[in-house]
């Protein structure tokens, strides 16, 4: 037989027969160091509003967000990602609220940095919360999302976040060339240490539905889609191409999104580029886990920790997950 010797000399179950030897051969570790909590921020400081499609996640005004940050800090979670809920009257065709230096996100960054200077602040750079049509960019008369015109706005948005003290700006819009545009805007204003986390391989996915409910872009988007800028779920080589471009343009980290159905992409990217590679366990994945747990069809704790561990095994250095706080509690038990 093989050089390893045949049964019964080789019994794979021997090492699995006790926890101590299972521990000794465990290849992948999941820790709090690898968790990032996405949060939905609302402009009304005392608001706390549940999101039906995301049980346990809420739109939070600043005062509630500060309380949540206490827990983030207690559990030693390295970073949070901010997503704004923008009222309809502040949405427009030119998305000008997106780069208002006194807008919601810059204000929240300043408050968080005052009280939690050591927690990393990641901001979403994209226009969808700010456009009346819910697309990630500016559009022409026929509704097509304009690339270069959008980048000009994204540069101002990223800059307004960096000025307010954001540690990491994270473009999630999938315009071509936006990493180069944002990097040069940051460099021109001496924000040389503002990191760029590129949503490099972001797929046009059905798993973003609950997120769009949360930020209120679902209604704006209506029956439109994002197929002409987000990636086709059928493609994998294209993801490597996207990542190569974004690293070349100055991204510090790249991300794959969604998570669980796309772990083959994570593995290929990590193997090929060896750069910090993040995964986003998106709202639809969260909703599925919540729904199946609520009915008792799966055990929430073990199922969630398993999904996160599997993302690590595929090559993810860190994971954005709405379960971050809960997972940290479980890991610290
Ligand atoms: C939009 C954005 C989306 C998500 C993060 N940023 C949705 C979209 O592209 O329509 C989805 C996150 C999630 O589903 O949890 N820039």
């Amino acid at each position: 037989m093989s050089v390893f010797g045949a049964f019964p000399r080789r019994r794979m179950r021997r090492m699995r027969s006790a926890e101590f030897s299972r521990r000794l051969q465990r290849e992948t570790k999941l820790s709090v160091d690898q968790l990032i909590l996405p949060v939905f921020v609302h402009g009304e400081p005392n608001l706390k509003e549940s999101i039906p499609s995301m049980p346990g996640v809420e739109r939070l005004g600043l005062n509630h967000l500060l309380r949540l940050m206490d827990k983030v800090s207690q559990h030693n979670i390295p970073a949070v990602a901010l997503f704004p809920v923008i009222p309809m009257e502040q949405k427009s065709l030119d998305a000008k609220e997106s780069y208002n230096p006194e807008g919601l996100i810059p204000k929240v960054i300043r408050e968080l940095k005052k009280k939690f200077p050591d927690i990393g602040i990641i901001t979403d750079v994209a226009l969808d919360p700010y456009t009346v049509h819910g697309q990630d960019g500016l559009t022409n008369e026929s509704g097509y999302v304009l690339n270069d015109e959008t980048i000009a706005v994204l540069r101002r948005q990223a800059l307004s976040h960096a000025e307010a003290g954001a540690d990491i700006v994270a473009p999630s819009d999938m315009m071509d060339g936006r990493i180069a545009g944002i990097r040069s805007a940051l460099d021109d204003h001496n924000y040389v240490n503002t990191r760029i986390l590129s949503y490099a391989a972001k797929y046009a996915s059905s798993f973003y539905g609950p997120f769009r409910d949360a930020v209120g872009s679902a209604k704006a988007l209506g029956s439109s889609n994002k197929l002409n800028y987000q990636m086709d779920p059928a493609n994998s080589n294209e993801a490597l191409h996207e990542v190569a471009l974004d690293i070349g343009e100055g991204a510090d980290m790249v991300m794959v999104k969604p998570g669980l159905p796309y772990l083959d992409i994570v593995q290929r990217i990590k193997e090929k580029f060896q750069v910090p590679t993040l995964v986003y366990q998106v709202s639809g994945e969260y909703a599925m886990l919540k729904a199946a747990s609520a009915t008792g069809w799966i055990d929430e704790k073990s199922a969630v920790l398993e999904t996160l561990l599997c993302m690590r095994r595929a090559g993810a250095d860190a994971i954005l997950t709405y379960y971050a706080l809960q997972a940290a509690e479980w890991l610290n038990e």
Side-chain angles (χ1 to χ4, degrees):
M1 291 291 283
S2 76
V3 290
F4 297 113
F7 177 82
R9 264 191 297 157
R10 181 56 55 189
R11 289 180 184 269
M12 294 302 279
R13 292 182 57 196
R14 241 178 240 134
M15 284 296 285
R16 298 178 198 138
S17 65
E19 175 59 11
F20 83 85
S21 52
R22 288 193 292 269
R23 279 172 68 199
L24 288 174
Q25 69 167 4
R26 195 158 288 148
E27 297 172 35
T28 306
K29 295 245 163 17
L30 173 69
S31 96
V32 172
D33 292 343
Q34 295 133 7
L35 300 176
I36 295 167
L37 179 68
V39 292
F40 298 109
V41 192
H42 197 282
E44 171 52 53
N46 291 314
L47 181 124
K48 179 175 180 164
E49 199 169 56
S50 58
I51 303 156
S53 51
M54 301 183 75
V57 177
E58 284 141 342
R59 301 182 191 96
L60 298 176
L62 181 63
N63 294 334
H64 292 285
L65 179 60
L66 289 170
R67 250 165 264 159
L68 180 68
M69 291 294 284
D70 280 328
K71 289 192 198 159
V72 168
S73 166
Q74 279 158 22
H75 284 89
N76 203 22
I77 291 177
V80 297
L82 307 179
F83 294 95
V85 182
I86 302 297
M88 204 35 110
E89 53 292 359
Q90 284 176 13
K91 300 188 193 228
S92 60
L93 278 173
D94 59 8
K96 65 174 187 300
E97 183 60 20
S98 65
Y99 53 85
N100 177 0
E102 298 308 318
L104 174 60
I105 291 294
K107 259 198 249 168
V108 168
I109 296 169
R110 284 187 219 107
E111 292 303 316
L112 296 187
K113 274 290 157 196
K114 253 187 253 166
K115 302 207 169 67
F116 302 94
D118 299 330
I119 298 179
I121 304 290
I122 304 173
T123 59
D124 189 47
V125 176
L127 305 186
D128 52 309
Y130 303 95
T131 53
V132 284
H133 42 63
Q135 295 288 359
D136 289 33
L138 307 181
T139 53
N140 67 13
E141 315 73 53
S142 53
Y144 184 75
V145 176
L146 298 163
N147 196 86
D148 302 12
E149 292 80 350
T150 295
I151 291 178
V153 185
L154 296 175
R155 286 167 53 106
R156 300 179 72 170
Q157 183 183 26
L159 207 50
S160 74
H161 296 172
E163 277 162 4
D167 301 290
I168 305 178
V169 292
S172 68
D173 56 289
M174 291 299 278
M175 296 303 114
D176 288 324
R178 89 267 209 225
I179 303 298
I182 291 168
R183 177 59 78 206
S184 74
L186 294 173
D187 280 351
D188 288 350
H189 292 81
N190 254 315
Y191 293 105
V192 293
N193 281 333
T194 304
R195 304 147 193 86
I196 300 180
L197 163 60
S198 173
Y199 286 65
K202 176 171 178 177
Y203 286 85
S205 171
S206 306
F207 290 99
Y208 306 149
F211 173 97
R212 292 178 188 169
D213 294 338
V215 299
S217 64
K219 230 191 298 154
L221 199 59
S223 60
S224 309
N225 60 53
K226 302 189 177 183
L227 294 171
N228 65 37
Y229 48 104
Q230 297 180 347
M231 278 184 58
D232 185 337
N235 296 352
S236 166
N237 294 331
E238 190 187 354
L240 301 185
H241 198 164
E242 283 283 4
V243 168
L245 289 170
D246 286 358
I247 296 170
E249 290 177 28
D252 301 289
M253 295 170 276
V254 295
M255 180 149 56
V256 175
K257 177 184 175 188
L260 211 53
Y262 294 85
L263 294 188
D264 56 322
I265 311 297
V266 176
Q267 185 175 31
R268 286 190 76 189
I269 289 173
K270 189 65 193 181
E271 239 167 47
K272 189 162 177 79
F273 298 101
Q274 309 274 306
V275 296
T277 304
L278 276 60
V279 169
Y280 199 142
Q281 181 174 53
V282 300
S283 59
E285 297 176 73
Y286 176 85
M288 288 198 299
L289 288 162
K290 273 288 170 192
S293 307
T295 53
W297 292 343
I298 59 171
D299 177 66
E300 185 172 29
K301 176 180 166 183
S302 55
V304 169
L305 291 177
E306 182 180 331
T307 60
L308 300 175
L309 181 70
C310 292
M311 289 171 185
R312 292 274 301 139
R313 191 199 60 227
D317 295 291
I319 305 163
L320 282 91
T321 172
Y322 301 98
Y323 272 113
L325 201 49
Q326 175 72 81
E329 281 169 21
W330 286 329
L331 291 171
N332 291 334
E333 267 170 11

